Amino acid sequence: MVSSWTRIHEHLGLPPGPLTVDNVLDAVRDGLREADVLDWKGALPQPPRDGAWNEFAKDVAAMANTRGGLLVYGVSNDLQPNGIDPAAVDTRTYGQWLRNHVRPFLADVDYLLLTSSDEQKSFLVVDVPASEFAPHSVAGTAARDKDQNAFVVPYRDRDHTAWMEEHQITRAYRDRFAGQQRHDQALSDLWTAARDLVVEPVGEEAWVIFAAQPVRPVPRLTGEVTRADVAVIVEKAFAAAVEIRTKGREVVPVLYNAGGSRNNPRVGLRSWVVSNAVASADRDSLRGVYVQLGHDGSVVFAVNVSTKTYREDGPTGVHVVNAEVVDVAAGEFVALAQELGRHLYIESPLGIHAGLAAREGSALAYECASRDDIGYFTASRSSRKPRRMQPWTTEVLPNGSVEATRAAAEELASSLLNQFGVSSRLYR
């Protein structure tokens, strides 16, 4: 996912947005020097010779091990924008070098070929995100008393690449595991807070709760989400959620239950809240919905999924879960998380925690009801009735393709419905 705010944007005083040839040329003319997040490269990446380190793999790993940045090919160290031959760019080979030489593998490196409108000047920009899996080591050959394979851990030290010492590697591993624990805990806390807020007060009803949190913290560069922004984000999510369905386009979006609160969100803790379920002034007879869009890119989407069935010997003593609502809510949640991520220019995967919940201590089991051939919701006799639902965690990219978004929605819905022996019906 190509970065929308870089050292070049910062130097030129530009807002977040796509990087252009003119941006690169303006930065060079203005004398922008190399830094830990920017490395000018005169010639395109070359294969290793005589057993030397793979220079490209080393440079990419160094950026990922520090705080991410750009490798710009076509600008020499003395700031001559000579450009590169675009026909010589071979991103497939560059990716193969990373797979062969960097451990663990770096999956989110992007390549951006910039060419001027007159096709006289081209640059290759390699965008390397700060990696949550740092430190990354690079394999190469060291010539000593005899040639031997070795692993080193590079990092950016201002305008050049250096090798980590043992204590730096130890700290990098400690920071990786601590960062993962912080993110996992923050995501779990977000989900639990939503359960305590919207599920505990409503009695014996079942809710599905989805929570998303950026894996890497969002830089405070783009300001906060405004009240007007919320309506735009929600409307875009409506359209995206319908687009990813392969079936059931006529099914009413769950978010419609939020009614007028979609255009009049309430202030939350560094967030906006769209809900018909929490404030007494907003409660109505529609299906309960709670949406929280955080200024830090976090999203909470909680929906009352309880339903009644039309089976004569309908189940008693269970939470009856509407499979269709779970299906629809999964797609709308993924679309909401992505739309907020795009709005905030988030350049990080979004960690997701999903699960069904009822009032803590409830002794009721769960049962799933699906729409039958004549349109009634019926609990299948073969449906499993779990007493405790397993939560599910995954990740999604803010700028994922329609196919990737559909797959994420299907995964979330299936992770819950499969526990009843039921499949998602909208995304396959």
Side-chain angles (χ1 to χ4, degrees):
M1 182 169 55
V2 177
S3 298
S4 57
W5 204 84
T6 67
R7 177 70 180 96
I8 294 175
H9 289 82
E10 179 187 32
H11 178 79
L12 297 177
L14 299 174
L19 196 64
T20 67
V21 168
D22 289 339
N23 297 155
V24 174
L25 291 173
D26 289 345
V28 171
R29 294 189 193 102
D30 206 36
L32 177 59
R33 293 291 176 180
E34 292 182 334
D36 59 341
V37 293
L38 178 65
D39 195 359
W40 300 120
K41 297 288 186 180
L44 286 171
Q46 299 296 312
R49 294 182 175 85
D50 301 325
W53 300 99
N54 185 298
E55 194 73 11
F56 177 73
K58 180 202 71 173
D59 291 336
V60 169
M63 285 281 187
N65 283 338
T66 312
R67 57 188 183 115
L70 303 179
L71 303 168
V72 182
Y73 291 87
V75 180
S76 62
N77 286 336
D78 58 354
L79 295 180
Q80 296 300 312
N82 300 316
I84 51 94
D85 177 8
V89 173
D90 187 356
T91 57
R92 182 185 296 272
T93 296
Y94 307 154
Q96 188 64 48
W97 289 344
L98 297 182
R99 283 188 288 274
N100 292 343
H101 295 276
V102 179
R103 299 290 184 274
F105 173 61
L106 277 165
D108 297 328
V109 176
D110 281 298
Y111 306 91
L112 180 63
L113 182 60
L114 303 177
T115 301
S116 59
S117 57
D118 59 7
E119 299 185 353
Q120 296 301 304
K121 192 78 69 175
S122 294
F123 302 98
L124 173 65
V125 179
V126 180
D127 186 359
V128 184
S131 175
E132 59 267 26
F133 298 108
H136 296 269
S137 60
V138 180
T141 301
R144 296 185 179 176
D145 55 334
K146 61 179 180 179
D147 288 347
Q148 56 184 344
N149 292 325
F151 283 87
V152 294
V153 181
Y155 73 102
R156 291 288 292 178
D157 182 6
R158 291 173 291 185
D159 60 350
H160 68 280
T161 297
W163 309 115
M164 286 190 185
E165 300 287 346
E166 182 181 23
H167 71 278
Q168 292 172 301
I169 295 173
T170 300
R171 184 179 64 185
Y173 275 114
R174 185 171 63 244
D175 289 346
R176 179 212 284 188
F177 299 133
Q180 291 173 340
Q181 289 175 347
R182 283 194 300 271
H183 172 263
D184 293 346
Q185 187 61 54
L187 187 57
S188 177
D189 290 346
L190 195 65
W191 190 92
T192 301
R195 183 200 65 194
D196 293 344
L197 179 65
V198 301
V199 179
E200 290 300 319
V202 298
E204 296 294 347
E205 295 180 324
W207 288 68
V208 63
I209 304 176
F210 301 101
Q213 182 89 27
V215 173
R216 295 190 295 274
V218 177
R220 301 306 306 144
L221 304 172
T222 57
E224 296 182 345
V225 181
T226 67
R227 189 187 299 271
D229 292 335
V230 174
V232 175
I233 291 168
V234 171
E235 290 303 321
K236 287 183 176 179
F238 273 151
V242 173
E243 182 182 5
I244 64 175
R245 296 183 196 166
T246 56
K247 302 174 184 175
R249 288 180 177 267
E250 74 285 353
V251 176
V252 177
V254 171
L255 275 170
Y256 277 155
N257 290 275
S261 60
R262 301 197 308 269
N263 298 317
N264 187 31
R266 302 289 176 87
V267 175
L269 178 60
R270 288 195 51 76
S271 65
W272 291 102
V273 173
V274 175
S275 175
N276 68 348
V278 177
S280 58
D282 295 333
R283 290 185 185 136
D284 51 37
S285 60
L286 297 175
R287 183 175 298 280
V289 173
Y290 177 86
V291 179
Q292 179 179 302
L293 303 179
H295 301 313
D296 62 351
S298 62
V299 176
V300 171
F301 189 21
V303 181
N304 186 330
V305 293
S306 295
T307 191
K308 295 180 180 179
T309 68
Y310 289 85
R311 199 173 71 192
E312 290 183 359
D313 57 340
T316 58
V318 294
H319 297 294
V320 183
V321 174
N322 188 316
E324 188 173 276
V325 174
V326 173
D327 241 347
V328 174
E332 292 183 5
F333 164 73
V334 172
L336 274 172
Q338 290 185 318
E339 289 299 334
L340 180 61
R342 295 182 186 114
H343 180 83
L344 291 174
Y345 299 97
I346 292 176
E347 291 151 1
S348 161
L350 303 172
I352 290 174
H353 186 109
L356 286 170
R359 175 178 285 178
E360 192 169 11
S362 172
L364 300 184
Y366 295 87
E367 188 171 24
C368 189
S370 301
R371 192 187 296 269
D372 61 20
D373 294 337
I374 58 176
Y376 291 153
F377 282 94
T378 303
S380 170
R381 296 179 185 275
S382 62
S383 172
R384 293 191 289 269
K385 301 177 181 63
R387 290 195 171 275
R388 183 177 298 277
M389 302 297 294
Q390 295 297 316
W392 190 262
T393 58
T394 187
E395 289 186 357
V396 66
L397 291 174
N399 285 326
S401 65
V402 172
E403 291 74 18
T405 303
R406 181 181 296 118
E410 197 276 334
E411 178 188 357
L412 284 179
S414 293
S415 68
L416 302 174
L417 297 177
N418 288 172
Q419 297 183 56
F420 299 104
V422 176
S423 298
S424 169
R425 295 186 176 185
L426 300 185
Y427 307 107
R428 288 184 176 180

